[in-house]
Amino acid sequence: MRNKILITGGAGFIGSHVVRLFVNKYPEYEIVNLDKLTYAGNLENISDIDKAPNYSFVKGDISDEQFIDDLFAKNDFKGVIHLAAESHVDRSITDPMAFIKANVFGTVNLLNAAKKYWKDDFEGRRFYHISTDEVYGALGETGFFYEDTSYDPKSPYSASKASSDHFVRAYMNTYKLPIVISNCSNNYGPNQFPEKLLPLAINNIKNNKPIPIYGKGENIRDWLYVVDHARAIDLIYHKAEIGKTYNIGGHNEWTNIDLIRLLCKVMDKKLGRAEGESAKLISYVTDRAGHDLRYAIDASLIEKKLGWVPSLQFEEGLEKTIDWYLDNQKWMDRIVSGAYEDYYKNMYKDN
Ligand code: NAD
Ligand code: TYD
């Protein structure tokens, strides 16, 4: 059987880095990228590999039953790496149903197709579901999320991801579907849609616009460079035992305000501004409803079992990220017009 792998959400932020890594590293595989191209999907993210002989793109919706059934009928996928999802917490607060459709219904639809078409031959196959640390809920000032931490999702986004994780595990328990799951902390890096904190702040600093900080900026996130997440996904896909879950994180916790202060400092240098200039743009705005205080991952299992560690120190990763956004102004300009402007005005209208 030719090693054909379906990657969903490959035109998005993390998915594009995973597709690139697999296409370049495994010329003997056939990588099929399935993406609906929602507002967050952008084929520009993978334009460097779209002519590769081992790559193809299919536009479609994971929650479309007939379409997914046809795709599995036509293709004998050896594996699925499932990243397609609605991914932004703030949008989930405005429109939870969109998250149920994409994240819950879409995932179950893929599971059903894998179950139907792989049924008599699970050998050598795997269904790898990419999830988030947000399913574990929120931490206080101490402690970490472990693989066996109880689920306690608190936003519509994390509730939809938690639900999809439960379905993935239930399909292994009930139908013996060969599954693997990983739960990762906040990613940063090139190609992230500028509704998320870091690209939004980089773009606003560049354009001398206020940097919106929710509440007092005391919420804590554990940041990981996106390429290190893609490396972990590669290792888990190839090496993890069936049925296992791995937590992935950067050992890199920052309060939002300290992170933005550091960003401002680096941006001052990059833009040739006087020190302290960009930080004047910091603007405290209304807090996110139900804002999770802290996420922090204990990633010792993947380190011990699979030998994965983050390759970049945060300061280095942050600098690479800033350079990428400054060097790819056209990518940003194409995004921050039209529908994005409407989203932005509506999202930050009360401040
Ligand atoms: P993203 O929003 O940048 O990209 C999501 C991609 O999925 C887009 O290309 C979009 O077009 C596609 N998509 C959405 N709905 C679809 C549908 N119904 N059918 C087909 N394609 C659809 O998201 P991301 O940040 O790259 O996240 C990817 C995955 O990783 C998600 O499952 C997310 O929950 C998970 N994750 C993200 C982070 C993070 O920090 N960004 C951390 C941990 C886990
Ligand atoms: P985000 O990038 O949306 O990721 P997540 O909510 O999945 O962690 O937000 C990261 C943190 O930054 C989170 O605590 C919310 C905060 N935040 C702001 O303070 N201002 C903003 O404009 C955005 C988008 C996020």
Side-chain angles (χ1 to χ4, degrees):
M1 177 171 50
R2 184 147 161 83
N3 207 333
K4 200 185 253 197
I5 300 174
L6 176 67
I7 300 183
T8 70
F13 168 46
I14 303 171
S16 62
H17 290 276
V18 175
V19 164
R20 175 175 303 104
L21 189 154
F22 273 70
V23 166
N24 289 335
K25 186 169 172 187
Y26 302 107
E28 72 280 19
Y29 292 2
E30 241 180 89
I31 303 301
V32 178
N33 174 11
L34 161 63
D35 199 296
K36 185 181 173 184
L37 299 181
T38 66
Y39 76 92
N42 183 351
L43 287 175
E44 256 187 81
N45 293 345
I46 33 168
S47 55
D48 55 322
I49 50 98
D50 67 2
K51 303 275 182 308
N54 62 338
Y55 171 79
S56 59
F57 174 73
V58 184
K59 184 173 186 301
D61 186 339
I62 53 167
S63 57
D64 179 337
E65 285 179 65
Q66 193 57 55
F67 168 75
I68 291 296
D69 190 276
D70 288 349
L71 187 72
F72 274 73
K74 277 190 222 130
N75 295 276
D76 186 11
F77 294 121
K78 190 153 188 200
V80 174
I81 304 179
H82 173 38
L83 297 109
E86 288 292 337
S87 68
H88 190 39
V89 173
D90 293 318
R91 288 185 191 253
S92 83
I93 294 169
T94 321
D95 183 9
M97 196 55 87
F99 285 67
I100 295 167
K101 283 185 190 146
N103 301 358
V104 185
F105 198 88
T107 301
V108 177
N109 205 22
L110 285 167
L111 289 167
N112 279 339
K115 171 165 96 63
K116 178 173 168 187
Y117 288 97
W118 295 357
K119 194 166 181 49
D120 300 318
D121 178 21
F122 284 157
E123 188 56 38
R125 304 196 198 251
R126 57 185 50 196
F127 187 106
Y128 179 8
H129 176 61
I130 309 299
S131 192
T132 165
D133 61 355
E134 303 189 27
V135 298
Y136 299 121
L139 290 163
E141 275 162 23
T142 58
F144 294 95
F145 295 135
Y146 301 91
E147 282 79 0
D148 59 359
T149 298
S150 298
Y151 276 31
D152 188 16
K154 294 186 184 297
S155 73
Y157 163 65
S158 56
S160 70
K161 292 296 290 187
S163 174
S164 64
D165 292 11
H166 289 321
F167 272 104
V168 173
R169 291 197 181 94
Y171 271 59
M172 163 135 177
N173 184 63
T174 311
Y175 310 110
K176 310 284 174 265
L177 196 76
I179 64 103
V180 185
I181 299 181
S182 58
N183 298 80
C184 190
S185 64
N186 286 59
N187 285 215
Y188 71 96
N191 305 99
Q192 187 168 31
F193 193 84
E195 64 189 351
K196 305 279 168 64
L197 179 65
L198 273 171
L200 185 149
I202 292 170
N203 188 47
N204 284 15
I205 293 170
K206 166 103 195 296
N207 294 303
N208 270 307
K209 283 173 59 182
I211 312 163
I213 301 290
Y214 298 163
K216 294 183 177 149
E218 286 166 353
N219 304 68
I220 295 172
R221 298 292 183 262
D222 169 4
W223 294 93
L224 178 69
Y225 192 61
V226 63
V227 175
D228 279 329
H229 188 189
R231 285 176 47 245
I233 289 173
D234 176 22
L235 265 180
I236 292 170
Y237 179 78
H238 288 99
K239 300 264 166 39
E241 221 179 283
I242 295 299
K244 285 279 179 211
T245 294
Y246 287 96
N247 281 352
I248 310 168
H251 298 296
N252 181 38
E253 290 180 50
W254 289 83
T255 61
N256 292 336
I257 189 64
D258 285 347
L259 175 68
I260 293 303
R261 285 201 183 110
L262 173 65
L263 178 73
C264 288
K265 209 168 145 187
V266 183
M267 292 285 287
D268 279 341
K269 282 204 194 110
K270 300 266 176 205
L271 298 172
R273 292 181 183 166
E275 194 171 333
E277 205 50 35
S278 298
K280 289 184 192 152
L281 297 167
I282 290 174
S283 158
Y284 293 93
V285 302
T286 313
D287 207 354
R288 172 184 282 171
H291 196 170
D292 288 343
L293 177 66
R294 174 172 167 255
Y295 307 140
I297 281 278
D298 180 296
S300 51
L301 185 71
I302 184 171
E303 291 170 8
K304 269 192 228 122
K305 289 276 178 195
L306 303 182
W308 174 89
V309 280
S311 68
L312 283 188
Q313 293 296 312
F314 184 56
E315 282 71 8
E316 196 187 344
L318 187 64
E319 199 152 323
K320 270 174 96 106
T321 301
I322 295 170
D323 287 343
W324 188 86
Y325 287 99
L326 294 180
D327 292 346
N328 289 274
Q329 193 57 48
K330 283 206 178 107
W331 179 92
M332 184 64 88
D333 290 344
R334 276 195 277 272
I335 288 174
V336 296
S337 59
Y340 179 85
E341 264 175 44
D342 296 340
Y343 162 81
Y344 197 94
K345 270 190 214 132
N346 190 45
M347 176 68 205
Y348 298 98
K349 66 177 179 298
D350 296 330
N351 298 283

